[in-house]
Tab-separated table of all heavy atoms in Angstrom:
chain	number	residue	atom	x	y	z
A	466	ILE	N	8.108	-6.133	27.346
A	466	ILE	CA	7.225	-6.301	28.509
A	466	ILE	C	8.045	-6.638	29.750
A	466	ILE	O	7.800	-6.100	30.847
A	466	ILE	CB	6.172	-7.386	28.234
A	466	ILE	CG1	5.215	-6.927	27.120
A	466	ILE	CG2	5.382	-7.699	29.509
A	466	ILE	CD1	4.224	-7.985	26.686
A	467	ALA	N	9.047	-7.513	29.591
A	467	ALA	CA	9.909	-7.853	30.731
A	467	ALA	C	10.616	-6.612	31.266
A	467	ALA	O	10.771	-6.442	32.485
A	467	ALA	CB	10.927	-8.911	30.306
A	468	ALA	N	11.046	-5.725	30.365
A	468	ALA	CA	11.713	-4.491	30.791
A	468	ALA	C	10.781	-3.613	31.614
A	468	ALA	O	11.204	-2.986	32.597
A	468	ALA	CB	12.215	-3.730	29.570
A	469	MET	N	9.520	-3.556	31.233
A	469	MET	CA	8.562	-2.734	31.984
A	469	MET	C	8.298	-3.322	33.369
A	469	MET	O	8.165	-2.597	34.352
A	469	MET	CB	7.261	-2.593	31.199
A	469	MET	CG	7.420	-1.868	29.881
A	469	MET	SD	8.236	-0.271	30.106
A	469	MET	CE	9.180	-0.157	28.587
A	470	LEU	N	8.241	-4.648	33.444
A	470	LEU	CA	8.102	-5.289	34.745
A	470	LEU	C	9.314	-4.982	35.629
A	470	LEU	O	9.174	-4.696	36.828
A	470	LEU	CB	7.969	-6.804	34.570
A	470	LEU	CG	6.623	-7.321	34.061
A	470	LEU	CD1	6.752	-8.791	33.648
A	470	LEU	CD2	5.538	-7.167	35.120
A	471	SER	N	10.490	-5.012	35.049
A	471	SER	CA	11.704	-4.791	35.836
A	471	SER	C	11.796	-3.365	36.339
A	471	SER	O	12.479	-3.086	37.332
A	471	SER	CB	12.955	-5.124	34.998
A	471	SER	OG	13.243	-4.113	34.055
A	472	GLN	N	11.109	-2.438	35.667
A	472	GLN	CA	11.125	-1.034	36.086
A	472	GLN	C	9.999	-0.697	37.053
A	472	GLN	O	9.785	0.469	37.398
A	472	GLN	CB	11.056	-0.133	34.861
A	472	GLN	CG	12.325	-0.219	34.010
A	472	GLN	CD	12.168	0.493	32.684
A	472	GLN	OE1	12.303	1.720	32.603
A	472	GLN	NE2	11.884	-0.264	31.642
A	473	GLY	N	9.261	-1.716	37.488
A	473	GLY	CA	8.304	-1.532	38.555
A	473	GLY	C	6.851	-1.423	38.149
A	473	GLY	O	5.981	-1.260	39.015
A	474	LEU	N	6.536	-1.522	36.862
A	474	LEU	CA	5.133	-1.494	36.458
A	474	LEU	C	4.447	-2.780	36.895
A	474	LEU	O	5.054	-3.872	36.870
A	474	LEU	CB	5.002	-1.329	34.947
A	474	LEU	CG	4.900	0.121	34.428
A	474	LEU	CD1	6.201	0.869	34.658
A	474	LEU	CD2	4.529	0.130	32.948
A	475	GLN	N	3.186	-2.669	37.273
A	475	GLN	CA	2.397	-3.844	37.588
A	475	GLN	C	2.169	-4.655	36.311
A	475	GLN	O	2.221	-4.118	35.205
A	475	GLN	CB	1.058	-3.432	38.202
A	475	GLN	CG	1.202	-2.785	39.573
A	475	GLN	CD	1.888	-3.689	40.577
A	475	GLN	OE1	1.467	-4.828	40.795
A	475	GLN	NE2	2.963	-3.197	41.188
A	476	PRO	N	1.903	-5.964	36.434
A	476	PRO	CA	1.862	-6.824	35.251
A	476	PRO	C	0.923	-6.360	34.145
A	476	PRO	O	1.286	-6.409	32.962
A	476	PRO	CB	1.421	-8.179	35.821
A	476	PRO	CG	1.931	-8.163	37.222
A	476	PRO	CD	1.797	-6.755	37.689
A	477	PHE	N	-0.283	-5.879	34.512
A	477	PHE	CA	-1.212	-5.448	33.459
A	477	PHE	C	-0.703	-4.178	32.785
A	477	PHE	O	-0.694	-4.059	31.548
A	477	PHE	CB	-2.602	-5.235	34.042
A	477	PHE	CG	-3.669	-4.993	33.000
A	477	PHE	CD1	-3.845	-5.862	31.939
A	477	PHE	CD2	-4.501	-3.885	33.099
A	477	PHE	CE1	-4.824	-5.649	30.976
A	477	PHE	CE2	-5.492	-3.662	32.155
A	477	PHE	CZ	-5.653	-4.545	31.081
A	478	ASP	N	-0.247	-3.219	33.587
A	478	ASP	CA	0.299	-1.988	33.024
A	478	ASP	C	1.530	-2.265	32.172
A	478	ASP	O	1.726	-1.664	31.104
A	478	ASP	CB	0.658	-0.990	34.123
A	478	ASP	CG	-0.560	-0.362	34.780
A	478	ASP	OD1	-1.665	-0.460	34.196
A	478	ASP	OD2	-0.423	0.221	35.866
Side-chain angles (χ1 to χ4, degrees):
I466 294 174
M469 297 307 146
L470 285 167
S471 76
Q472 292 171 81
L474 269 67
Q475 293 301 306
F477 189 53
D478 287 344

